[in-house]
Amino acid sequence: MTSGAKSPLPALGFRTDVQGLRAVAVGLVVVYHAGVPFVTGGYVGVDVFFVISGFLISTHLLQSLERDGRVKFGEFYARRIRRILPASLTVAVLTAVAAIVFYPPLALERVLRDGLATILYVPNIWFAIQNTDYLADQSPSPFQHYWSLGVEEQFYLLWPLLLFLLFLLVGRRPRLVLAGIVVLATASLIAGAVLTPIDQPSAFFLLPTRAWELLIGAIVGAALLQGIRAPQWMAAVGGWIGLSMIVGSALLFDDGTAFPGLAATVPTIGTALVIYFGATSTGSGLDRLLSLRPMQFIGLISYSLYLVHWPLLVVPQAAVGEQEPLRLWIKIVLGIVLAVPLAWLLHRFVENPLRAPKILTERRPRVTLLTALGVTIVLVIASNVAVQASSARITGTGGEASAAASYPQSPPAATDFVPRNMTPALPDVADDLAPLFTDGCQFDVKTEGVQDCEYGDADGSSTIALFGDSHSAQWFPAVDDFVSAQGDVSLRTYTKSSCSAADVTVLVKSVPYESCDRWRAQVVERLVADPPDLVIISNYAHYVLAESPDGTDRLALWEDGLTETVERLRSAGSEVLLIADSPRLRSEPATCASMDVTDVSGCGVERSWAIDDELASVERSVAAATGATHVDFTDFICDADVCPVIIDDMFVYRDVNHMTSTFVSYLAPALAPTIASLLGVDATAQP
């Protein structure tokens, strides 16, 4: 070929540059999950995959429509099933077996339910319902990476029909089909951008807010089919710009990036540029780079590599426990060095042979569809049996612990095993919640307005308001015990997840939590307009603040924000009680305890790490300056060195930073005298 000549590649057919782009995509994901330094945004490799998939599938469908005027739906779905399911179901089954062998008993049921959602092709919907934070989950599911397959499978199910209807609607005019795809992609992008700061898990996992990424690939395919090509000089530069956008986002994004949102446009548009400009031969070197033999090999096994690398990282971590994070070199060995040959084996003996077996390809598509349905039914039945069996596993010892004293003890008496008489029992720990977590009075991050929740005696002579985030809400059992014992007190609750009473704006996924700011302002206005006798506040101590994301001014901002709130409440005539934040843990306590019920000493954490002494000191200073009262029950929860997970016969924590309702009730007698004093009543619940 002479220099300067254009050589458009066929829009449908094998393209080595696209194969190499697959290698880029899976490489970014794999090194990110392995924790390789600097590749803090490697998760964008999934977005690269989405664009590639949308391009290839849509190009095939569009050519079929233009050639035949219809889509052979049966053949299309049969090919997709043979391409995707054999490898994905093989890895899913092997992952479930590994989980049964290596996972802590208490975590196993959850993992198997994740596997069931995977087998039913809805893992992304399941993880969205579970409010999973893909970028910051401390104990991720070994099936979590299947979310992207769920998005693609649902896209493959709906897109052929939608594209066919669009084709008919616009009178089979290709330019209008392209315009229609652009409209759909734009609507999906807007939905994702709007939803990301409001409900990040839904925006991240669900098809409607991710479809635009696949549709960008469809736009590129439609443009190339219609002969819309770039000049050679533009293509020579454009492809490199696209690749730099992909790599740049992988290096500059991190777990705190508001994603997907508008941030996802960087790697997706970059991918579209590489594919689009790659259709014109330029001699720029990008084609040669992506066509190198190692890139082609990794691209060839990219699907299998994506499937196998994640459980190789997650299952071993679960086996050793979250308290001991795997070292970087171990994760590199497992997630990269070992994953590549295993992926080749999966590709060689499962993915490739079952892509077009004669026993299926020589028969009607319905045979493939019925076979897939039968395999799915068998796996669903097996999964349900495994879930039921896992829930029945023993999670305690035969020994008993001493019953807790009637008044909290300092230092606490730690129990280093799981006693038979423990309350709550291990399987019930996560559900040991205060009533307002289940009766609708604890607002989630998406709910605004002001609660109208009242407990105790509505006509009582005294009124208490519990105000703040879920760490305020966790104190409800202790306050309610006082209210019930007193008999002449009304308790109103105003609590919202991740929303402190301090007048500061916190960041959630690097996005200001404006819903919290609006809710807090409304609650304060109500408390000022109708002041209770006492407002009780407790706050989570480890928020990232919008005005100081690096934490340099965190203490000063927190002091100012808390002072603002307390002074407004005090000026309205309310007493204010600040309760120091409870200790935090490094890993899910009940899961950790279930790993070895005879020795749970390793599940606790050192007191110096569990408590933010600096912030506690700031809150004591705010109380002193404003005339509020500050109490700290840490000495009933931790000894001088360690914060244990079991004290006497009680399990202390329901998760990494909330105490169980049972244990909070145990602390009630220690809180009652302070409440009584501030209300000017006799503490009938005192010991």
Side-chain angles (χ1 to χ4, degrees):
M1 182 184 302
T2 60
S3 177
K6 292 183 182 179
S7 177
L9 297 175
L12 180 64
F14 183 75
R15 282 179 52 175
T16 57
D17 61 327
V18 174
Q19 187 79 306
L21 200 54
R22 280 195 176 108
V24 173
V26 76
L28 291 176
V29 173
V30 167
V31 298
Y32 166 70
H33 284 156
V36 175
F38 307 115
V39 192
T40 54
Y43 51 82
V44 301
V46 174
D47 304 85
V48 177
F49 272 129
F50 282 161
V51 178
I52 294 172
S53 296
F55 167 72
L56 295 175
I57 292 301
S58 299
T59 303
H60 170 78
L61 291 171
L62 288 167
Q63 281 203 330
S64 177
L65 286 169
E66 292 176 9
R67 182 182 61 247
D68 305 323
R70 64 189 180 95
V71 174
K72 297 179 180 179
F73 291 101
E75 291 183 6
F76 174 84
Y77 292 130
R79 282 196 301 269
R80 288 295 90 202
I81 287 172
R82 294 194 299 267
R83 172 70 179 89
I84 295 174
L85 293 194
S88 68
L89 292 182
T90 297
V91 174
V93 170
L94 293 176
T95 300
V97 172
I100 291 171
V101 174
F102 295 110
Y103 258 72
L106 203 61
L108 182 57
E109 182 179 356
R110 173 181 64 84
V111 169
L112 292 177
R113 291 189 186 279
D114 295 343
L116 180 59
T118 297
I119 292 169
L120 292 172
Y121 319 117
V122 291
N124 56 321
I125 298 174
W126 172 251
F127 289 127
I129 292 173
Q130 299 298 310
N131 204 35
T132 301
D133 188 341
Y134 176 85
L135 302 180
D137 196 338
Q138 299 301 310
S139 54
S141 167
F143 293 98
Q144 190 165 288
H145 63 316
Y146 276 91
W147 76 270
S148 62
L149 269 71
V151 170
E152 290 200 15
E153 288 163 351
Q154 291 150 26
F155 180 81
Y156 296 153
L157 179 65
L158 299 174
W159 183 231
L161 178 59
L162 289 176
L163 190 58
F164 178 60
L165 293 176
L166 177 62
F167 185 73
L168 295 179
L169 182 65
V170 300
R172 304 186 177 189
R173 286 173 284 186
R175 294 295 174 110
L176 292 182
V177 171
L178 174 58
I181 298 173
V182 171
V183 170
L184 291 174
T186 302
S188 175
L189 172 60
I190 293 173
V194 171
L195 191 59
T196 295
I198 300 172
D199 185 1
Q200 193 270 345
S202 294
F204 190 96
F205 288 113
L206 298 182
L207 175 62
T209 49
R210 285 289 198 162
W212 65 271
E213 301 185 34
L214 292 112
L215 292 175
I216 282 181
I219 292 169
V220 173
L224 292 176
L225 278 175
Q226 294 173 40
I228 303 174
R229 306 295 174 94
Q232 188 176 34
W233 65 267
M234 184 182 296
V237 177
W240 285 107
I241 292 175
L243 184 62
S244 67
M245 292 172 69
I246 298 170
V247 175
S249 58
L251 299 177
L252 297 177
F253 291 179
D254 57 27
D255 295 356
T257 301
F259 204 86
L262 293 177
T265 59
V266 180
T268 49
I269 292 176
T271 305
L273 293 178
V274 173
I275 296 174
Y276 176 70
F277 290 122
T280 301
S281 179
T282 64
S284 64
L286 181 58
D287 287 347
R288 290 196 296 272
L289 173 64
L290 295 175
S291 300
L292 291 174
R293 184 170 294 181
M295 300 292 283
Q296 294 299 294
F297 172 72
I298 297 299
L300 178 69
I301 66 168
S302 58
Y303 177 52
S304 290
L305 181 56
Y306 180 81
L307 290 173
V308 303
H309 87 282
W310 181 245
L312 286 174
L313 292 168
V314 176
V315 174
Q317 180 65 77
V320 301
E322 297 170 16
Q323 297 284 79
E324 303 177 23
L326 296 177
R327 294 182 179 181
L328 176 60
W329 72 267
I330 294 177
K331 292 197 290 184
I332 290 175
V333 168
L334 292 173
I336 301 177
V337 178
L338 180 60
V340 170
L342 288 179
W344 178 83
L345 290 173
L346 180 67
H347 172 81
R348 173 66 178 81
F349 295 104
V350 177
E351 179 188 349
N352 200 46
L354 296 181
R355 182 178 300 181
K358 289 185 177 180
I359 193 174
L360 294 178
T361 56
E362 292 179 352
R363 301 186 180 187
R364 293 183 176 181
R366 72 181 66 169
V367 176
T368 296
L369 300 176
L370 291 174
T371 300
L373 178 62
V375 171
T376 300
I377 291 173
V378 170
L379 292 178
V380 167
I381 294 173
S383 296
N384 274 301
V385 171
V387 167
Q388 297 303 317
S390 69
S391 64
R393 294 178 66 173
I394 298 174
T395 55
T397 69
E400 293 192 356
S402 299
S406 59
Y407 191 87
Q409 302 297 302
S410 176
T415 301
D416 61 4
F417 63 95
V418 178
R420 178 165 52 88
N421 61 328
M422 187 178 73
T423 305
L426 272 184
D428 303 324
V429 165
D431 297 322
D432 195 34
L433 303 164
L436 68 163
F437 284 94
T438 57
D439 64 10
C441 288
Q442 163 71 14
F443 280 3
D444 59 24
V445 295
K446 294 173 282 188
T447 307
E448 295 189 36
V450 177
Q451 294 97 320
D452 186 21
C453 296
E454 190 166 16
Y455 305 85
D457 184 357
D459 299 319
S461 59
S462 301
T463 303
I464 299 173
L466 188 62
F467 173 35
D469 57 21
S470 60
H471 283 224
S472 278
Q474 75 174 346
W475 286 100
F476 176 88
V479 180
D480 189 52
D481 284 355
F482 172 87
V483 170
S484 298
Q486 198 67 33
D488 188 29
V489 181
S490 169
L491 172 59
R492 291 147 45 188
T493 63
Y494 308 95
T495 60
K496 178 176 170 68
S497 294
S498 301
C499 187
S500 76
D503 189 13
V504 293
T505 300
V506 302
L507 295 180
V508 177
K509 302 303 296 176
S510 294
V511 176
Y513 188 6
E514 295 176 352
S515 169
C516 168
D517 294 340
R518 292 189 292 267
W519 174 84
R520 183 195 306 112
Q522 294 175 39
V523 172
V524 171
E525 287 297 326
R526 175 173 292 190
L527 293 175
V528 169
D530 182 17
D533 298 287
L534 172 64
V535 180
I536 298 176
I537 295 171
S538 186
N539 295 299
Y540 176 63
H542 305 282
Y543 288 116
V544 177
L545 307 186
E547 293 183 60
S548 179
D550 61 356
T552 53
D553 299 320
R554 182 177 71 102
L555 295 178
L557 290 168
W558 189 265
E559 183 173 12
D560 291 343
L562 187 57
T563 298
E564 170 68 20
T565 297
V566 173
E567 285 184 340
R568 289 199 63 189
L569 298 174
R570 293 276 294 151
S571 65
S574 297
E575 296 289 344
V576 176
L577 173 61
L578 302 177
I579 303 177
D581 190 25
S582 52
R584 59 173 175 160
L585 303 176
R586 287 192 173 93
S587 61
E588 289 293 332
T591 299
C592 178
S594 74
M595 292 185 67
D596 183 359
V597 295
T598 65
D599 182 10
V600 300
S601 57
C603 298
V605 296
E606 57 273 20
R607 177 170 176 156
S608 60
W609 186 88
I611 303 296
D612 190 329
D613 287 326
E614 290 183 329
L615 196 67
S617 178
V618 166
E619 294 190 343
R620 284 191 292 269
S621 297
V622 170
T626 60
T629 301
H630 183 272
V631 292
D632 190 339
F633 298 116
T634 304
D635 287 342
F636 298 131
I637 308 171
C638 310
D639 60 29
D641 301 311
V642 176
C643 301
V645 296
I646 304 176
I647 293 175
D648 293 320
D649 60 347
M650 296 172 295
F651 205 83
V652 180
Y653 304 91
R654 65 176 172 86
D655 60 25
V656 293
N657 58 52
H658 293 93
M659 295 181 292
T660 61
S661 181
T662 296
F663 190 77
V664 173
S665 291
Y666 164 72
L667 296 175
L671 178 62
T674 301
I675 297 178
S677 174
L678 292 171
L679 292 178
V681 299
D682 292 331
T684 57
Q686 290 187 67

